[in-house]
Amino acid sequence: MIKKFISKLIASDKNLTSTNAEKVEDSRIEKTSSWEVGDVLKEVIRRLTAPDRSDSDTEKEKDRIMEKVKNFLDEYLYPLILDDLIFNKEGQKLLLKEIDRELENLKLIISYPWLYKKVKIAFAGRFSSGKSSIINSLLNTDILPTDITPTTAIPTHITYMHKAEQSNAYAINREGRVIPIPIEFFKQIKHENIDEIYSTVLQTLIDSVFINYPSELLSKVIMIDTPGYDPSLSNIDRDLSLKALKSSDLIFWVVDIEDGDISSDALNRIIKKELADKNLCVIINKVDRKPPSARQKVRSKIEETLRNAGVNFKNIFLFSSREKDKYVPEIIGFINKTLKDKENTLPFFDFVKEGIEEINNTLLDGLKSVSAEKEKVETSLEKIWKEYGDKLSKVLVDTFEKYAKYNEPWLDDPHFKIYKADNYLNELYEKIAHVVADITSKAFEYYLTLSILDEEQENLQNLLQQARKALKELEKLQEEFEKFIANTHNRRLKL
């Protein structure tokens, strides 16, 4: 039904038919002053749905990059992780889980290049809780419209662009293509004066919107204004909101002080179920409506609710846009602290590199340990062979002296000499055999240990070569990835 509506919508404007579509100048969509919102809306929808060969090429390039990443993991990283010489089973399981998480973040960055090496901070909560107002206050702007209706909610990323002389807005379709839209039009589609059917179409076509804004706070972070949560949300709204929240590094859950607590539905269906592993903070908004005692009561209630539910949270803040100078510094201070903490949380390539370097160091330590053990074994073997030589010499001397004392003339009888020689040799062989058996028993254990250590040393050396090769291959892959990100980002923004 939506596809039919889109076709009708586009065909209804003679200027936007397939014959004339290519002749539409970019300035038409930029100059909202000479256009009605409905006309701009039609043009945006046309651009969102128009086929683009560059999309196909970009998708192929994305697939090629991801295939290279997976091949790297299969050929170089996973064999290192799954080797029992380096990690035990539990360590392997935990590390593989972390890699899967970082891999998902990498896929997200491929689709949205401006997320690369940025800390993503999302604002969530029910509709009209004041998320947009808080973001505006933190950025000291009115870039985000407020009083948004549920039917027109679209996730909005606010990011910093070095060359942005003025704020620009872009819509991102489901294939990841970036479409420029005027700031004023963005504010219009986020308000209730857009017909519900238009809103449904836009939500079906648009994955998210991002805005360039020259704020220093955004130089290292991206702020995400998510659709408000409500039990009656459509699956589209809920999925869009969860997608934005799950990709975030820090989440501020905004609660209107009039609500008195986080709703049980939001707590059980979203916070506990979907966001359990996320860094969570709560902002109690519109606190100017209540006296200090009531504010503290709500704060204590929310804290109790979260603790009873077993939800970990970082902090609970009070806020009012009417007294933003009082509350903004504390939240910004927390964000800056988070940025410092996130310096230890690395993007995919840095994460993998650090992991391989740790493996490399572990292998070097292992080689040192094996070499030290071998040295001990070889020293012990030297002692054993010295002991063997000493004992053998003593046996020879003692036995010879025993039989040499029989030197009386009558003992020179040839038959006795033969008897004496036989006894001498038998006793000598017997004593030598006893010495050899004793020494061999001791030496065998050491030689067996030495053989095991030699094999372990060879395995460690092979793994060390693999780790060093993996680092080189990772550098090549990262260089290719960053080139792809830059090219993709520039191509999409060259409008």
Side-chain angles (χ1 to χ4, degrees):
M1 180 178 176
I2 289 176
K3 287 184 177 178
K4 288 181 179 178
F5 175 79
I6 293 170
S7 300
K8 267 187 175 182
L9 177 69
I10 296 172
S12 67
D13 190 329
K14 294 179 181 179
N15 291 324
L16 298 178
T17 59
S18 58
T19 307
N20 298 310
E22 297 303 323
K23 297 179 181 179
V24 177
E25 297 179 0
D26 289 344
S27 59
R28 293 183 66 189
I29 195 170
E30 302 298 338
K31 296 178 181 177
T32 48
S33 58
S34 60
W35 273 62
E36 294 295 332
V37 171
D39 293 327
V40 180
L41 177 61
K42 292 174 185 178
E43 174 64 5
V44 169
I45 291 175
R46 184 191 71 79
R47 291 192 180 191
L48 287 167
T49 56
D52 187 347
R53 279 178 291 180
S54 66
D55 283 350
S56 175
D57 294 339
T58 300
E59 287 302 314
K60 288 179 182 177
E61 188 68 8
K62 281 164 51 177
D63 292 342
R64 188 184 68 81
I65 289 292
M66 284 308 304
E67 188 65 28
K68 282 200 167 190
V69 171
K70 289 177 181 177
N71 288 342
F72 168 81
L73 294 174
D74 291 337
E75 187 175 350
Y76 296 102
L77 191 58
Y78 290 151
L80 290 172
I81 293 173
L82 297 175
D83 195 292
D84 294 336
L85 280 174
I86 304 174
F87 299 104
N88 58 29
K89 297 298 181 185
E90 187 62 26
Q92 292 170 358
K93 185 178 178 181
L94 289 173
L95 195 51
L96 289 173
K97 186 178 179 180
E98 288 182 22
I99 290 173
D100 286 342
R101 187 187 68 241
E102 292 297 330
L103 198 57
E104 287 303 312
N105 288 334
L106 187 69
K107 292 176 183 177
L108 191 70
I109 290 167
I110 286 179
S111 296
Y112 308 112
W114 54 89
L115 297 179
Y116 192 39
K117 294 185 177 180
K118 293 287 187 75
V119 173
K120 298 174 285 297
I121 301 175
F123 291 78
R126 73 167 180 81
F127 285 106
S128 302
S129 59
K131 301 182 299 296
S132 301
S133 296
I134 292 173
I135 295 175
N136 283 341
S137 295
L138 293 175
L139 297 177
N140 196 27
T141 180
D142 61 352
I143 190 115
L144 293 178
T146 55
D147 301 322
I148 301 169
T149 58
T151 58
T152 55
I154 296 172
T156 304
H157 297 70
I158 306 97
T159 182
Y160 179 78
M161 297 293 285
H162 294 287
K163 295 182 180 180
E165 296 180 358
Q166 59 182 3
S167 300
N168 297 305
Y170 302 88
I172 303 147
N173 72 1
R174 298 293 174 164
E175 287 73 41
R177 195 194 321 158
V178 178
I179 309 298
I181 57 176
I183 286 288
E184 291 307 314
F185 175 68
F186 161 72
K187 292 180 178 181
Q188 291 290 340
I189 66 172
K190 299 277 278 186
H191 276 77
E192 56 185 281
N193 60 347
I194 296 294
D195 187 86
E196 184 175 348
I197 187 66
Y198 284 93
S199 298
T200 303
V201 171
L202 286 172
Q203 284 179 306
T204 304
L205 297 176
I206 297 177
D207 184 80
S208 60
V209 170
F210 76 95
I211 298 175
N212 298 334
Y213 186 72
S215 167
E216 192 60 33
L217 181 61
L218 296 171
S219 61
K220 293 184 179 179
V221 307
I222 286 180
M223 291 190 177
I224 307 172
D225 186 17
T226 65
Y229 176 76
D230 187 272
S232 62
L233 276 179
S234 68
N235 289 334
I236 293 176
D237 283 330
R238 188 176 292 109
D239 290 346
L240 286 173
S241 185
L242 281 177
K243 181 180 178 182
L245 292 175
K246 287 182 176 181
S247 71
S248 302
D249 301 298
L250 173 64
I251 296 171
F252 286 103
W253 193 274
V254 181
V255 178
D256 189 323
I257 196 168
E258 299 288 357
D259 294 339
D261 198 359
I262 297 175
S263 72
S264 58
D265 188 80
L267 181 67
N268 295 317
R269 295 181 63 181
I270 301 297
I271 296 175
K272 284 182 65 175
K273 184 178 178 181
E274 305 288 353
L275 309 176
D277 61 341
K278 290 296 180 181
N279 292 317
L280 177 71
C281 289
V282 175
I283 296 179
I284 304 172
N285 196 19
K286 306 174 186 177
V287 297
D288 56 288
R289 298 180 179 180
K290 298 285 185 180
S293 59
R295 300 174 191 179
Q296 187 55 46
K297 187 176 179 180
V298 172
R299 183 175 193 158
S300 298
K301 178 60 178 173
I302 291 174
E303 184 173 343
E304 180 185 3
T305 297
L306 292 173
R307 293 197 189 282
N308 289 342
V311 175
N312 294 320
F313 61 96
K314 298 292 184 181
N315 211 334
I316 297 178
F317 299 95
L318 301 178
F319 191 82
S320 169
S321 58
R322 294 181 179 179
E323 302 175 87
K324 61 183 179 181
D325 291 342
K326 178 179 177 181
Y327 298 108
V328 163
E330 185 182 6
I331 297 176
I332 289 181
F334 181 84
I335 290 174
N336 288 332
K337 182 180 180 300
T338 300
L339 289 176
K340 290 182 180 179
D341 294 340
K342 289 296 290 183
E343 288 176 0
N344 298 320
T345 305
L346 307 171
F348 177 82
F349 289 99
D350 292 339
F351 169 80
V352 173
K353 182 180 179 181
E354 187 176 79
I356 296 174
E357 286 175 344
E358 286 183 6
I359 290 173
N360 188 79
N361 292 334
T362 299
L363 293 171
L364 288 173
D365 290 341
L367 282 170
K368 288 179 183 178
S369 178
V370 169
S371 297
E373 286 298 314
K374 282 183 66 177
E375 189 174 339
K376 289 179 183 178
V377 172
E378 288 167 350
T379 300
S380 298
L381 280 171
E382 287 179 7
K383 290 180 180 179
I384 287 174
W385 288 118
K386 186 178 184 304
E387 180 186 351
Y388 171 74
D390 293 342
K391 284 186 176 182
L392 195 58
S393 296
K394 190 173 186 306
V395 164
L396 291 171
V397 171
D398 289 351
T399 307
F400 178 77
E401 287 178 349
K402 176 181 177 181
Y403 284 90
K405 67 182 179 180
Y406 299 111
N407 56 3
E408 289 82 355
W410 62 270
L411 294 174
D412 290 338
D413 180 79
H415 295 289
F416 183 77
K417 285 182 177 180
I418 293 172
Y419 168 79
K420 184 175 74 171
D422 285 345
N423 281 355
Y424 170 75
L425 290 174
N426 287 336
E427 186 175 344
L428 184 61
Y429 289 153
E430 185 178 336
K431 288 181 177 180
I432 289 174
H434 179 75
V435 171
V436 170
D438 181 48
I439 296 299
T440 301
S441 175
K442 292 179 179 178
F444 177 76
E445 293 180 11
Y446 284 108
Y447 277 119
L448 181 61
T449 301
L450 195 61
S451 175
I452 293 171
L453 289 172
D454 282 338
E455 184 178 352
E456 186 175 344
Q457 187 178 47
E458 184 178 356
N459 289 337
L460 288 170
Q461 287 172 339
N462 289 336
L463 288 170
L464 188 61
Q465 288 180 354
Q466 290 179 37
R468 287 171 176 170
K469 188 174 181 181
L471 280 174
K472 291 181 180 178
E473 292 300 318
L474 182 68
E475 287 177 4
K476 293 179 184 176
L477 185 60
Q478 182 173 2
E479 185 178 342
E480 187 173 353
F481 174 82
E482 290 185 341
K483 184 177 179 181
F484 161 75
I485 289 295
N487 290 342
T488 304
H489 189 35
N490 291 335
R491 183 165 61 247
R492 285 176 172 176
L493 294 183
K494 190 176 181 181
L495 301 166

